[in-house]
Amino acid sequence: MKHEMKKAEGNVSTVMQFVLLGFSDLSNLQEFLFGVFSIMYILVIIGNSLIIILTRLDPALQKPMYFFLANFSLLEISYVTVMLPKMLVNIWTQDRSISLLGCATQMCFFLMLGATECFLLVVMAYDRYVAICNPLHYPLVMNQKMCVQLAVGSWIIGIPVQIRQTAQIFCLHFCDSNQINHFFCDIPPVIKLACGDTFVHEMSVYAVATFFVAVPFMLILASYSKIICTILKLPTASGQAKAFSTCSSHLLVVVFFFGSGAITYLRPRSNHSAGMDKLFSLFYTTVTPMFNPMIYSLRNKDIIAALRKFFLKK
């Protein structure tokens, strides 16, 4: 495979093209991996598209909670599409090259969508907080205008910051090697290829990750602390169980996403290993989006009823 480079000042070579090693070390399993990841991508598309269709067509799902869930499903489709199609092409053709611009574009969209997911999960937690802790004010607080503003804010809040962070990372000089030991252009493996001292850039990554991971997680934690206290004060066990069931699916998704994301981005560089980075990244970029529709539908009576009506009509 050709490693395209151009000469910089002196004897240092500047990388103009990267090679995504992905799972190339599993040479005997390439066809199997292609099949598995293809099925996962199809399941992500079908499952999340079905959620979007149901929330648009079924009158019983015309509620703020399902409006945000439809946004979340659209986000999951976009999130996975940034990475999986390129990885599938790489496995199928065995040409694992990606241009510098292509790598930067992939990273930028991945970071922007990741930031959106963090804040959309906060919005969904806030929705449950208002519904359970202030049920009488819920229709007034979570009106259509407020829902649209919260959703749009979640989608755009990370755009300027992540564009700037991506530009900073790709202003670094990359030399000696252009092989990214990952299946997509993520921050840790790309920074590893940079020449010279990258301490300032690493601190910048930690600062941004703290804002987009730690702050949303703390807001979600605060919301659920209030929610749990309110639920425990309910007089009947059946009321408590019903209240818990409306937010348990969201809480499960939060644990999966933030747990794997925090391990990937907030642990020290010395503790990074390529194998573990790939495993955790695969979990929150592909496995979680694949299971999210099942998590929400299997634990939600409204969605199960909407599914029955949808397929009975068909």
Side-chain angles (χ1 to χ4, degrees):
M1 187 175 294
K2 294 181 180 178
H3 297 172
E4 185 182 341
M5 300 182 180
K6 72 175 183 181
K7 289 292 181 182
E9 294 181 7
N11 294 323
V12 180
S13 294
T14 302
V15 172
M16 293 301 293
Q17 181 170 283
F18 291 106
V19 177
L20 291 167
L21 296 181
F23 301 97
S24 57
D25 52 328
L26 304 173
S27 56
N28 297 328
L29 297 175
Q30 295 301 294
E31 292 181 1
F32 172 75
L33 290 173
F34 181 83
V36 169
F37 290 130
S38 297
I39 292 170
M40 291 173 77
Y41 187 48
I42 291 168
L43 289 175
V44 169
I45 299 295
I46 292 175
N48 286 286
S49 296
L50 192 56
I51 294 287
I52 295 170
I53 293 168
L54 289 175
T55 55
R56 293 291 296 174
L57 296 181
D58 197 300
L61 302 183
Q62 303 299 310
K63 300 174 184 177
M65 182 172 95
Y66 300 112
F67 170 74
F68 294 129
L69 181 57
N71 272 267
F72 189 71
S73 294
L74 177 61
L75 174 66
E76 296 291 61
I77 292 171
S78 306
Y79 198 56
V80 174
T81 300
V82 168
M83 292 155 291
L84 261 188
K86 175 62 178 173
M87 183 171 70
L88 290 171
V89 170
N90 290 350
I91 295 174
W92 181 259
T93 63
Q94 292 298 300
D95 178 7
R96 303 178 185 278
S97 61
I98 184 170
S99 67
L100 189 72
L101 179 61
C103 190
T105 302
Q106 187 184 58
M107 180 185 289
C108 189
F109 275 99
F110 166 73
L111 294 175
M112 288 191 296
L113 293 170
T116 297
E117 182 151 357
C118 291
F119 283 95
L120 195 54
L121 287 171
V122 173
V123 169
M124 293 170 79
Y126 176 70
D127 172 72
R128 292 298 83 209
Y129 161 75
V130 178
I132 293 172
C133 299
N134 298 289
L136 297 178
H137 294 116
Y138 184 70
L140 294 174
V141 176
M142 300 306 292
N143 55 58
Q144 186 177 9
K145 183 180 178 181
M146 174 61 76
C147 290
V148 171
Q149 288 175 341
L150 288 172
V152 171
S154 299
W155 280 93
I156 67 174
I157 190 170
I159 292 175
V161 177
Q162 302 299 1
I163 288 176
R164 184 173 179 272
Q165 177 161 262
T166 303
Q168 283 183 330
I169 290 172
F170 282 88
C171 282
L172 292 167
H173 289 290
F174 300 99
C175 53
D176 297 331
S177 174
N178 65 345
Q179 296 185 344
I180 299 174
N181 196 1
H182 214 301
F183 57 88
F184 72 100
C185 291
D186 199 5
I187 293 176
V190 171
I191 285 186
K192 281 182 181 179
L193 302 182
C195 306
D197 187 7
T198 59
F199 177 77
V200 174
H201 292 84
E202 288 177 40
M203 289 301 101
S204 174
V205 170
Y206 282 125
V208 172
T210 299
F211 178 73
F212 284 104
V213 177
V215 172
F217 183 74
M218 294 304 294
L219 291 172
I220 292 171
L221 200 60
S223 296
Y224 273 101
S225 297
K226 293 279 189 180
I227 288 170
I228 291 170
C229 289
T230 302
I231 290 174
L232 292 176
K233 292 177 183 177
L234 294 176
T236 63
S238 60
Q240 291 178 352
K242 184 178 179 181
F244 268 121
S245 69
T246 64
C247 55
S248 58
S249 300
H250 176 256
L251 194 56
L252 193 60
V253 171
V254 166
V255 171
F256 285 155
F257 178 77
F258 280 100
S260 54
I263 291 171
T264 300
Y265 290 102
L266 296 180
R267 76 185 194 274
R269 182 178 176 180
S270 58
N271 292 339
H272 280 248
S273 71
M276 291 303 293
D277 281 349
K278 286 186 218 178
L279 182 62
F280 284 118
S281 296
L282 191 64
F283 190 79
Y284 72 82
T285 60
T286 307
V287 176
T288 302
M290 182 180 67
F291 283 113
N292 281 349
M294 287 180 267
I295 291 172
Y296 279 107
S297 60
L298 292 176
R299 300 182 63 86
N300 190 297
K301 292 180 181 178
D302 290 340
I303 292 181
I304 291 173
L307 276 169
R308 284 175 180 163
K309 283 194 288 184
F310 180 77
F311 284 112
L312 284 175
K313 283 181 181 179
K314 295 295 180 184

